[in-house]
Amino acid sequence: MAVPVWSVDPRTGKQREQVAVEATAEEVDAAVRAAAAAFPALADREVRVRLLRTAADFLEEAGPRILEAADAETALGPARLTGELGRTTYQLRAFADLVEEGAYLDVIIDHADATLAPPRPDLRRYKIPLGVVAVYAASNFPLAFSVPGGDTASALAAGCPVVVKAHPDHPATSELCADALRRAAVEVGLPADVVSVVHGFRAGIDLVEHPLVSAAGFTGSVRGGRALFDAAAARPAPIPFHGELGSLNPVVITEAAAEERAEQIGAGLAGSMTVGVGQFCVKPGLVLAPAGEAGDRLLKSLAAAVGDVAPGTLLDARMRDNFIAGVRELTALPEVEAPVEPGDGGEHLVRAGFVSVPAARLAEGGEHDALLDEHFGPVTVVARYGTAEEVEGVLGRLPGNLTATAHLSEAEASGGDGSGAELLRRLTPLAGRVVVNGWPTGVAVAPAMHHGGPYPATTSTSTSVGGTAIERWLRPVVYQDAPQGLLPAELRDENVLGLPRRVDGRREG
């Protein structure tokens, strides 16, 4: 019996329209096999460049319909979603530029040299695409981390066809975006099945277990991501699973920084923890702030700014229920105070807030460990410390994170006494991105960006944002003593493709 997939308005809880039906095992198999059949067509780099740029154009053309559906399904608002669409199309074009330039192929040629000991054969190395990639769309970014998002863009750039498991919070948006991508493929002469979408919980499991799927990218919860990660590892032929699972994103505010600009830091924290109704994966969820007068001023500023935030709508009713239950658990713990109490903001709404606790309680563990869990929504935990040992005690209990932030005074940031550098050295093992005197919300699409971190932030060492995200879907291969006529064009002595490469230890191009 077909299970309907409904588009639901989180502002009202009402069903908008039936978008699709959940995919059966046979339908998942058909989608994967069609993607695998389309794989050879993606071999041409120039065609992939045209595909990515055309996809960006078609998404922009369909923008009004996509934005209307996305707002109706997520309540994220037209302004936020318009920015996200711009980020998504920029991302596609950035990968087109990267493919056109060709450095991602990492071409290395070492000519034979009989004078070496041992003698070196002729060796030629570059990277090739893995095959069909399964992409699991994120709830909180219906565009930039979903059907047309970074996982899909980077996989197509690498030459890998994609089957996306749509997120149930925005199925109509997913279908509209998939239509734009598939039309773009046909426009440039590729099979439409270089991109396809399936719906349903079981479809996600069937997808990661399919023998023709060669890798997977996931953005979501620790529980869901870990289950899929384990399934990917348990296959007869395990596959890479690049999962972004969860992150607390700790912030350490030094006493000197608080003395210098407590009010500014408090207001900035309020903006960062409530943006997007606290549903960003890099929301600062734990803040170490000093006890004493400067810390008091900081919390007063934070309370004033958070108190001015209007109640908001989370992505779905389940998330709202979890948020309300979670903050109720936090505020019931001993020695936990709620200067601005988070929780139920009215029908279909939640209220932003924060809790504070002595840092010593977090360092000790026990029942206060719930404060060290990620809580999806507009809430953060402020741990008040009195000594450097208390800061170290809390940091020593943290798992891996996407980000870690240090707020330093002007003197500390200058490096004069070494304390700022020492704090950064302490934070670096905890995260994939270390932020100084800023806020982690906002992940720039840039070549140097790394959006990842030690487990459970991610299940691999790769990034899901930035140009190097393409590396997840490639593997190196070396040809040894192969005649010129048998080599791929990328590896022949005559560099007819004009690729950047390293030849006998020297950079060319």
Side-chain angles (χ1 to χ4, degrees), residues 19-21 23 27-28 31 135 137 146-148 152 162-167 170-171 173-179 181-182 192-200 203 207:
V19 174
V21 294
E27 288 167 337
V28 172
V135 169
S146 292
V147 173
T152 297
V162 174
V163 180
V164 183
K165 206 292 281 185
H167 197 279
H170 35 78
T173 307
S174 298
E175 287 293 334
L176 288 170
C177 291
D179 176 69
L181 297 183
R182 288 169 64 84
D193 289 324
V194 295
V195 179
S196 58
V197 169
V198 295
H199 299 265
L207 194 54

Side-chain angles (χ1 to χ4, degrees), residues 323-368:
F323 175 79
I324 293 171
V327 297
R328 187 181 296 126
E329 177 187 357
L330 299 186
T331 55
L333 291 169
E335 297 186 74
V336 171
E337 298 178 354
V340 179
E341 187 168 355
D344 190 340
E347 190 175 12
H348 306 295
L349 299 171
V350 295
R351 185 176 61 253
F354 68 97
V355 300
S356 65
V357 64
R361 299 290 78 78
L362 296 184
E364 292 169 357
E367 62 183 334
H368 288 88

Side-chain angles (χ1 to χ4, degrees), residues 92-418:
L92 286 160
R93 293 180 176 120
F95 277 112
D97 293 344
L98 184 136
V99 174
E100 192 168 53
E101 186 237 10
Y104 77 97
L105 291 167
D106 197 21
V107 177
I108 303 174
I109 297 174
D110 290 323
H111 289 103
D113 190 340
T115 66
L116 297 175
R120 183 177 71 201
D122 186 272
L123 300 170
R124 295 160 189 255
R125 179 187 191 273
Y126 79 145
K127 293 179 178 177
I128 61 173
L130 292 174
V132 178
V133 169
V135 169
Y136 294 81
S139 64
N140 54 342
F141 282 85
L143 304 174
F145 285 84
S146 292
V147 173
D151 285 351
T152 297
S154 58
L156 292 174
C160 297
V162 174
V163 180
V164 183
K165 206 292 281 185
H167 197 279
D169 279 350
H170 35 78
T173 307
S174 298
E175 287 293 334
L176 288 170
C177 291
D179 176 69
L181 297 183
R182 288 169 64 84
R183 286 190 295 108
V186 173
E187 179 73 13
V188 301
L190 290 168
D193 289 324
V194 295
V195 179
S196 58
V197 169
V198 295
H199 299 265
F201 174 81
R202 182 65 226 181
I205 299 172
D206 293 337
L207 194 54
V208 80
E209 292 178 346
H210 198 288
L212 293 180
V213 168
S214 299
F218 172 91
T219 302
S221 68
V222 174
R223 181 180 178 185
R226 183 55 194 256
L228 291 170
F229 174 73
D230 290 345
R235 292 167 39 129
I239 59 171
F241 183 88
H242 301 286
E244 179 195 317
L245 310 187
S247 183
L248 200 56
N249 306 302
V251 177
V252 179
I253 303 166
T254 68
E255 185 170 5
E259 290 172 349
E260 195 171 86
R261 57 184 197 284
E263 289 76 16
Q264 178 186 339
I265 294 172
L269 172 57
S272 184
M273 60 162 280
T274 61
V275 65
V277 201
Q279 296 173 113
F280 279 27
C281 51
V282 287
K283 180 199 74 176
L286 173 67
V287 181
L288 285 151
E293 186 272 336
D296 291 344
R297 287 193 290 116
L298 192 154
L299 260 65
K300 182 179 179 181
S301 171
L302 173 62
V306 172
D308 286 339
V309 176
T313 305
L314 294 183
L315 292 163
D316 61 40
R318 177 185 57 83
M319 292 180 187
R320 178 179 182 272
D321 291 344
N322 288 343
F323 175 79
I324 293 171
V327 297
R328 187 181 296 126
E329 177 187 357
L330 299 186
T331 55
L333 291 169
E335 297 186 74
V336 171
E337 298 178 354
V340 179
E341 187 168 355
D344 190 340
E347 190 175 12
H348 306 295
L349 299 171
V350 295
R351 185 176 61 253
F354 68 97
V355 300
S356 65
V357 64
R361 299 290 78 78
L362 296 184
E364 292 169 357
E367 62 183 334
H368 288 88
D369 279 355
L371 294 161
L372 298 180
D373 293 333
E374 180 184 16
H375 293 275
F376 199 68
V379 63
T380 196
V381 175
V382 179
R384 303 292 299 272
Y385 68 87
T387 66
E389 289 73 22
E390 289 178 357
V391 173
E392 178 58 36
V394 175
L395 295 179
R397 303 198 63 244
L398 299 184
N401 292 269
L402 294 169
T403 71
T405 298
H407 276 272
L408 310 173
S409 69
E410 185 176 349
E412 290 168 331
S414 71
D417 63 0

